[in-house]
Amino acid sequence: MKQYNSLRDVRTDLTNGEVTCRQLVEQYLRNINEKAELNAFLETFDEEALAQADAADRKLANGTAGKLAGMVIGIKDVLAYQGHRLQASSQILDGFKSLYTATAVQRLLAEDAVIIGRQNCDEFAMGASNENSSFGPVLNADDHSRVPGGSSGGSAVAVQADLCLASIGSDTGGSVRQPASFCGVVGFKPTYSRISRYGLIAYASSFDQIGIISKSVEDAALLLEVMAGPDAYDSTVSQRDVPAYSGLLATDTRYKIGYIRDCFESEGLDAEVKDSILSIKDMLREAGHTVEAVDFPYLDYIVPTYYILTTAEASSNLGRYDGVKYGYRTDNATDLSSMYKKTRAEGFGLEVQRRIMLGTFVLSADYYDAYYTKAQKVRRLIKEKTDELLQTYDFLILPTAPTTAFKLGENTANPLAMYLADIFTVQASLAGVPAISIPVGRDANGLSIGLQLMSRSFGEPALLAFSNYILDKITVEA
Ligand code: GLN
């Protein structure tokens, strides 16, 4: 089957009778089976996906099809889909089935998308390499000895390897953007609160945001437009109107762009990544945009602040997995207390246990003010400085990740090195602003390099339009 890069291409062929939704699903299912060694999908929903495809074909024929007819989507194993298994790639949710469907997923279905399966990820979305999954690592399709990034690694590889047209993941500190960067696809985290989190397994609730992985910015815009907006089941979701993002992608504005000087001087930044992003900066300047260096004095504080706050929230959120209510329960309990302890020791993987302990520590009575309260204050400073920069500049640009995809096992023995992989993505998460990673080049090993753009809160229309413009420009100049 021909490879499709956007729903627009699919729709053209559907209209011309070149392909049907059923044939698309059959082909994606074959691709998933043929590339099973990538370990991107934990399961596929064959019968149901084919039935959804048939329904979409019928609606296309009689002119009642929704916006997403022809769109075949995979969902990360942190999104609830009624009657389907849901376990955040963890053994602690072994056997658990969703009792309801996440609002975001429900809205996709309502527009006639097909949900093809459940995707592998780091356990409870904690990780940057997809090596923390209890189902084993996902492999980068460009080089099987390398990681796809994480935590939405399966979701990124699924789009990279043509196993579905788009994926829905979650981004707490970069989990959509960083794997997209490693896999050469688009990864988009909207403003915090833009999409309902109802039905998304919580990791760190004041950071968690549903995000999109796709081949084109246009598809990301369309999926955002469908999923965003008020929801009676999530009181934290923004009440703002949802623009028709996908219709707002044309732009001839000359923008004001800042690049954070300190990021480009940061020690761990790979030389090829640096050169590639700097050349984009030059390209934009030549095209008439204003591009200026800006100072962001808190770069050294963002990773520690992020890990104090997210582990604190995680220790609280993951308290509910106690062997009583969901999934796994130990067989070796002798009393109630040993049931709790053994269930959690056996059910959670090592990284999740490490974070629960760290989070419990920073919230403990003696250390609360020294760590948690302090980190909240630093978060405020980071947010205020980021917002201030984004009042002056339309966008901040920086690399998505300091390196291209690293080798499997390279960072597993050193959690600190792994945490530093998040250095460029967590700023947008701490500030709650939207950010996107777009593929802008490849290093000498052929590995993809991602450019990250941040914009002010609810600045998605311009952010998406400008990202689309950059990708078009790169294609034209290549
Ligand atoms: N790598 C980051 C972490 O481990 C980001 C994870 C995420 O965004 N879910 O927390």
Side-chain angles (χ1 to χ4, degrees):
M1 181 182 80
K2 149 174 173 193
Q3 284 203 7
Y4 291 99
N5 291 322
S6 69
L7 181 61
R8 178 193 295 270
D9 294 349
V10 173
R11 285 294 266 262
T12 305
D13 281 7
L14 284 168
T15 310
N16 296 340
E18 304 273 336
V19 76
T20 63
C21 294
R22 169 171 272 269
Q23 286 167 344
L24 282 169
V25 171
E26 284 170 348
Q27 184 58 47
Y28 283 126
L29 287 171
R30 268 198 295 279
N31 289 355
I32 294 170
N33 281 328
E34 277 164 19
K35 298 182 190 171
E37 80 278 8
L38 298 174
N39 204 17
F41 277 86
L42 298 178
E43 67 174 315
T44 49
F45 309 136
D46 303 31
E47 294 301 312
E48 243 178 308
L50 288 167
Q52 287 165 353
D54 288 341
D57 281 327
R58 280 195 299 276
K59 289 186 177 182
L60 283 163
N62 67 24
T64 59
K67 279 184 188 175
L68 299 182
M71 176 80 100
V72 179
I73 298 175
I75 55 175
K76 181 179 181 180
D77 188 22
V78 289
L79 286 158
Y81 185 18
Q82 190 173 29
H84 299 79
R85 294 182 68 169
L86 173 65
Q87 61 186 106
S89 289
S90 179
Q91 287 313 307
I92 205 138
L93 278 170
D94 186 33
F96 179 74
K97 282 192 176 163
S98 297
L99 302 172
Y100 56 85
T101 299
T103 299
V105 176
Q106 191 60 53
R107 291 181 181 175
L108 300 174
L109 291 167
E111 290 293 344
D112 296 322
V114 171
I115 306 294
I116 198 167
R118 176 167 71 107
Q119 295 162 331
N120 200 350
C121 59
D122 280 306
E123 185 175 2
F124 283 98
M126 296 176 184
S129 68
N130 217 123
E131 292 167 295
N132 298 334
S133 166
S134 76
F135 297 101
V138 176
L139 310 184
N140 191 310
D142 283 336
D143 176 345
H144 291 193
S145 69
R146 292 181 188 267
V147 304
S151 64
S152 313
S155 306
V157 168
V159 177
Q160 175 193 33
D162 213 33
L163 311 182
C164 56
L165 188 60
S167 299
I168 306 301
S170 64
D171 190 312
T172 302
S175 276
V176 154
R177 290 163 282 155
Q178 184 255 19
S181 166
F182 281 12
C183 294
V185 293
V186 173
F188 172 45
K189 178 198 92 79
T191 308
Y192 179 76
S193 82
R194 186 68 292 198
I195 300 177
S196 166
R197 288 180 291 117
Y198 180 71
L200 168 68
I201 290 185
Y203 158 16
S205 312
S206 76
F207 295 76
D208 293 342
Q209 190 49 220
I210 287 174
I212 298 155
I213 297 179
S214 56
K215 289 193 182 168
S216 69
V217 172
E218 189 180 350
D219 283 355
L222 185 61
L223 288 166
L224 177 65
E225 165 182 329
V226 168
M227 292 188 291
D231 175 21
Y233 293 111
D234 178 357
S235 60
T236 66
V237 79
S238 169
Q239 300 299 310
R240 287 180 185 235
D241 286 346
V242 178
Y245 301 103
S246 62
L248 301 172
L249 291 176
T251 175
D252 51 15
T253 310
R254 292 289 164 263
Y255 289 105
K256 203 163 171 203
I257 300 148
Y259 66 95
I260 299 176
R261 197 194 325 259
D262 317 57
C263 290
F264 290 89
E265 281 155 18
S266 105
E267 212 179 293
L269 178 60
D270 174 272
E272 286 183 84
V273 174
K274 179 175 173 174
D275 290 348
S276 165
I277 305 300
L278 288 177
S279 74
I280 300 285
K281 178 195 83 162
D282 296 338
M283 176 189 91
L284 293 174
R285 191 174 279 148
E286 277 160 32
H289 302 278
T290 307
V291 189
E292 291 172 358
V294 299
D295 290 315
F296 181 74
Y298 305 123
L299 195 63
D300 289 344
Y301 300 102
I302 59 179
V303 170
T305 306
Y306 170 81
Y307 276 95
I308 289 171
L309 295 175
T310 53
T311 55
E313 293 189 26
S315 76
S316 164
N317 274 327
L318 273 58
R320 72 189 74 174
Y321 306 106
D322 57 5
V324 178
K325 299 188 273 299
Y326 316 89
Y328 177 76
R329 179 182 302 164
T330 183
D331 289 330
N332 308 312
T334 48
D335 57 15
L336 184 64
S337 156
S338 81
M339 192 277 287
Y340 289 141
K341 287 182 186 162
K342 288 190 171 157
T343 295
R344 288 169 66 84
E346 292 162 17
F348 287 131
L350 291 182
E351 181 61 25
V352 175
Q353 292 189 25
R354 176 171 21 244
R355 294 193 191 200
I356 291 172
M357 286 191 280
L358 265 171
T360 308
F361 173 77
V362 302
L363 290 175
S364 60
D366 284 349
Y367 295 100
Y368 190 93
D369 281 342
Y371 291 102
Y372 184 72
T373 309
K374 184 78 162 271
Q376 289 285 32
K377 290 179 181 168
V378 181
R379 182 182 195 180
R380 168 61 71 99
L381 290 175
I382 292 168
K383 173 162 178 53
E384 283 176 354
K385 183 71 194 171
T386 306
D387 286 345
E388 182 194 310
L389 288 172
L390 287 167
Q391 286 313 314
T392 313
Y393 296 94
D394 296 300
F395 309 108
L396 295 176
I397 58 167
L398 68 171
T400 306
T403 64
T404 52
F406 46 87
K407 294 263 186 197
L408 286 154
E410 194 174 318
N411 286 335
T412 36
N414 185 351
L416 261 188
M418 193 72 97
Y419 296 171
L420 282 172
D422 303 328
I423 184 156
F424 299 138
T425 46
V426 293
Q427 183 183 352
S429 308
L430 284 157
V433 300
I436 188 167
S437 176
I438 55 172
V440 293
R442 295 204 173 254
D443 70 6
N445 292 323
L447 300 168
S448 148
I449 297 172
L451 167 75
Q452 185 182 198
L453 298 105
M454 286 185 239
S455 83
R456 52 191 83 112
S457 289
F458 302 101
E460 279 91 352
L463 179 65
L464 292 164
F466 190 55
S467 304
N468 201 37
Y469 159 90
I470 296 178
L471 284 180
D472 279 352
K473 218 167 157 44
I474 292 174
T475 322
V476 171
E477 294 189 4

